[in-house]
């Protein structure tokens, strides 16, 4: 198929439209902690503030067990289905079945940890499980694969606004961290149910079949390890840190980490928007896929630098405004973590744009697992000896590991196929 200016621009324009909706979502997700973090940091005591972030991080980590990597594999499958409702219904049915089974794992982990923990009350534990289920069942994969992100964007905006209103009304005391988490988790699971219901009304659902569910689980097994591995140096890193440091140290680091994650999230919509378009054209029109990849990659790397430079220069002011003077020790940690944003962008170019569309999942999975195992070793062995600065450095080294392994995978692919690397 010949690549013309008109059909290439059509794909690019469609991807930019999706990027706009995703940036709307990420903008709200970034503004949300910029409002809630100062409120929580000033209203709650350090113990409750640390518990809130620990529980949210735990929920994100557990939600990845339910998500199972479907945000990548199912996005690709939906994009390749080309709006065939019969195929989409089959995909939707199998994934819902998988998630129902997988949700038993976070339920078990939460129940066991609650039974042995002295600091985690029943309300905190219940909130962790509800948040994990709501995030794990969020069907972003369907809307991304169909490149229909308006509804997803709208529901995210309404959800965040609703939670913010509840926060201001009901959380006013230093010991009310559990109330905030309950409100957050209940609202989140209601909106997740609404998103799945919209898909159900549109395409329907088949009868759940155990054999097909197992086949779907086997198909996504490698990327499940990818998701768990990535969590070990992202959301899971905070969970592990909370197990090896005291509450005061955890609050200081987690505040900086939360602001950093919000800033890093601004690069995500570029990958989320272009990935399904690149996947859909990778084998049918490789030249078009290559050009889309170059456009997205250049923009993503430039954007990461635009985000990092001003935040690095004004890091102290950011911490004072968002967390308060009592968290001033977070400033050097925040500056180190900011350096990870360009590395994340490069990792996205190599992994999400370079490996996954070519179905070279194993290289990406290995890269992330290696980074995750490094994080586990460093947090449990080195951080207690070297302190919080080393914790921030651990995150940077983990991303460098991803970049090195992904680069190796692309070079191997290029030698075998004599294809363009990107």
């Amino acid at each position: 198929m010949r690549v013309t200016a008109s059909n290439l621009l059509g794909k690019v324009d469609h991807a930019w439209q999706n990027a706009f909706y995703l940036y709307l979502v990420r903008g709200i997700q970034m503004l949300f902690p910029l409002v809630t973090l100062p409120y929580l940091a000033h209203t709650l005591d350090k113990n409750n503030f640390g518990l809130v972030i620990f529980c949210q991080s735990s929920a994100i980590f557990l939600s990845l067990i339910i998500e199972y990597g479907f945000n990548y594999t199912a996005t690709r499958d939906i994009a390749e289905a080309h709006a065939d409702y019969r195929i989409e219904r089959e995909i939707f049915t199998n994934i819902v079945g998988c998630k129902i089974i997988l949700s038993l794992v976070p339920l078990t982990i939460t129940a066991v940890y609650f039974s042995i923990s002295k600091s985690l009350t029943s309300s905190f534990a219940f909130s962790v499980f509800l948040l994990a289920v709501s995030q794990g069942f969020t069907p972003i994969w369907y809307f991304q694969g169909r490149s229909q992100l308006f509804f997803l964007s709208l529901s995210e905006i309404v959800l965040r606004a609703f939670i913010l209103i509840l926060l201001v009304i009901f959380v006013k005391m230093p010991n009310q961290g559990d109330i905030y988490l309950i409100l957050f988790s209940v609202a989140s699971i209601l909106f997740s149910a609404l998103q799945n219901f919209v898909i159900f009304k549109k395409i329907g659902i088949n009868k759940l079949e155990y054999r097909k569910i197992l086949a779907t689980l086997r198909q996504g097994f490698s990327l499940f390890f990818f998701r768990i591995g990535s969590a070990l140096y992202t959301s899971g890193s905070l969970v592990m840190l909370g197990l090896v440091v005291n509450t005061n140290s955890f609050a200081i680091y987690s505040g900086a980490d939360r602001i950093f994650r919000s800033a890093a999230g601004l690069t995500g919509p570029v990958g989320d928007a272009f990935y399904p378009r690149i996947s859909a054209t990778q084998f049918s029109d490789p030249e078009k896929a290559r050009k889309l990849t170059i456009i997205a990659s250049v923009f993503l790397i430039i954007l990461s630098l635009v985000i990092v430079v001003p935040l690095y220069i004004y890091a102290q002011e950011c911490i004072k405004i968002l967390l308060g003077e009592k968290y001033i020790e977070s400033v050097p940690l925040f500056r180190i973590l900011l350096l990870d944003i360009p590395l994340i962008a490069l990792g996205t170019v190599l992994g999400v744009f370079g490996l996954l569309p070519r179905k070279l999942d194993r290289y990406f999975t290995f890269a992330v697992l290696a980074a995750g195992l490094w994080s586990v070793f460093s947090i449990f062995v080195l951080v207690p000896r070297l302190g919080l600065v080393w914790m921030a450095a651990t995150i940077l080294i983990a991303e460098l590991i991803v970049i090195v392994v992904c680069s190796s995978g692309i070079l191997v692919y290029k030698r075998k196929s004599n294809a363009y690397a990107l």
Side-chain angles (χ1 to χ4, degrees):
M1 179 179 176
R2 184 183 175 187
V3 179
T4 65
S6 59
N7 60 31
L8 176 60
L9 287 174
K11 292 287 185 183
V12 173
D13 289 343
H14 198 54
W16 285 118
Q17 184 183 60
N18 294 329
F20 169 76
Y21 288 129
L22 285 168
Y23 267 110
L24 200 58
V25 172
R26 293 296 172 91
I28 294 297
Q29 290 175 340
M30 182 179 180
L31 289 174
F32 183 73
L34 293 182
V35 176
T36 57
L37 266 183
Y39 187 88
L40 291 171
H42 289 84
T43 303
L44 302 178
D45 55 44
K46 275 191 175 182
N47 181 61
N48 268 263
F49 180 71
L51 273 175
V52 165
I53 296 183
F54 177 78
C55 288
Q56 288 180 324
S57 301
S58 299
I60 293 172
F61 182 76
L62 292 174
S63 73
L64 296 179
I65 297 174
I66 303 174
E67 188 268 329
Y68 201 73
F70 291 132
N71 284 354
Y72 288 99
T73 57
T75 295
R76 183 175 61 202
D77 293 342
I78 290 292
E80 293 173 352
H82 300 294
D84 186 323
Y85 279 11
R86 181 184 59 82
I87 298 176
E88 289 183 354
R89 184 165 55 249
E90 183 73 13
I91 295 169
F92 179 63
T93 300
N94 293 335
I95 288 178
V96 168
C98 291
K99 288 176 181 281
I100 291 172
I101 294 174
L102 292 167
S103 63
L104 297 176
V105 179
L107 176 62
T108 303
I109 293 174
T110 304
V112 170
Y113 187 75
F114 166 68
S115 66
I116 63 176
S117 173
K118 296 179 180 180
S119 60
L120 199 65
T121 64
S122 58
S123 55
F124 277 111
F126 180 67
S127 299
V128 168
F129 175 66
L130 283 186
L131 278 174
V133 170
S134 67
Q135 294 178 38
F137 271 83
T138 299
I140 186 172
W141 53 270
Y142 179 81
F143 296 105
Q144 280 185 234
R146 286 294 301 268
S147 297
Q148 296 174 351
L149 294 164
F150 174 75
F151 171 73
L152 187 69
S153 305
L154 179 63
S155 60
E156 183 70 22
I157 291 170
V158 174
L159 170 63
R160 300 290 172 169
F162 183 57
I163 293 172
L164 184 58
I165 293 171
L166 294 176
L167 170 65
V168 174
I169 293 174
F170 292 103
V171 180
K172 297 182 180 296
M173 302 295 291
N175 62 344
Q176 291 184 323
D178 57 341
I179 293 178
Y180 167 69
L181 284 175
I182 289 173
L183 295 172
F184 195 165
S185 61
V186 171
S188 296
I189 206 158
L190 290 175
F191 276 82
S192 179
L194 174 63
Q195 292 167 349
N196 281 278
F197 180 74
V198 167
I199 299 174
F200 167 74
K201 290 293 290 183
K202 181 177 181 180
I203 65 176
I205 191 168
N206 297 331
K207 181 181 177 180
L208 294 176
E209 296 183 28
Y210 184 68
R211 177 178 54 82
K212 292 182 178 179
I213 291 172
L214 285 181
T216 303
L217 288 172
R218 284 195 296 268
Q219 182 182 3
F221 192 64
S222 62
L223 269 183
F224 168 67
F225 275 101
F226 154 72
R227 296 295 282 163
I228 295 298
S230 66
L232 290 176
Y233 67 95
T234 54
S235 60
S237 65
L238 280 183
V239 178
M240 292 185 288
L241 181 66
L243 300 175
V244 299
V245 300
N246 59 46
T247 303
N248 183 69
S249 297
F250 181 79
I252 290 170
Y253 180 86
S254 62
D257 184 89
R258 184 54 60 88
I259 301 171
F260 150 69
R261 299 290 174 193
S262 296
L266 287 177
T267 63
V270 178
D272 293 341
F274 276 88
Y275 168 64
R277 309 314 311 161
I278 294 169
S279 292
T281 57
Q282 181 62 53
F283 296 105
S284 61
D285 197 339
E287 180 64 14
K288 184 182 294 185
R290 189 180 73 88
K291 291 185 177 181
L292 285 170
T293 299
I294 292 173
I295 292 171
S297 300
V298 171
F299 179 78
L300 183 59
I301 292 172
I302 292 175
L303 175 64
S304 69
L305 297 175
V306 170
I307 293 170
V308 168
V309 172
L311 287 177
Y312 190 91
I313 294 172
Y314 297 104
Q316 184 169 321
E317 288 75 9
C318 288
I319 295 297
K320 285 183 178 179
I321 293 171
L322 296 176
L323 299 178
E325 291 281 353
K326 60 183 177 181
Y327 290 95
I328 198 67
E329 295 174 78
S330 300
V331 173
L333 304 174
F334 182 50
R335 284 200 168 112
I336 295 172
L337 289 170
L338 284 173
L339 300 177
D340 195 44
I341 295 179
L343 300 181
I344 292 172
L346 184 55
T348 299
V349 169
L350 297 170
V352 177
F353 296 162
L355 294 176
L356 292 183
R358 296 175 171 87
K359 300 188 177 182
L360 300 172
D361 302 356
R362 63 187 183 278
Y363 292 107
F364 202 14
T365 300
F366 180 76
V368 173
L369 275 177
L373 291 174
W374 153 254
S375 297
V376 172
F377 168 78
S378 182
I379 292 171
F380 284 110
V381 177
L382 301 179
V383 170
R385 294 174 172 81
L386 301 177
L388 295 180
V389 171
W390 182 256
M391 176 65 197
T394 295
I395 304 301
L396 268 66
I397 295 171
E399 200 64 48
L400 286 171
I401 292 172
V402 172
I403 290 171
V404 170
V405 178
C406 286
S407 299
S408 301
I410 289 175
L411 289 175
V412 170
Y413 172 81
K414 184 179 180 182
R415 284 199 300 268
K416 287 183 177 179
S417 62
N418 294 320
Y420 292 107
L422 286 176

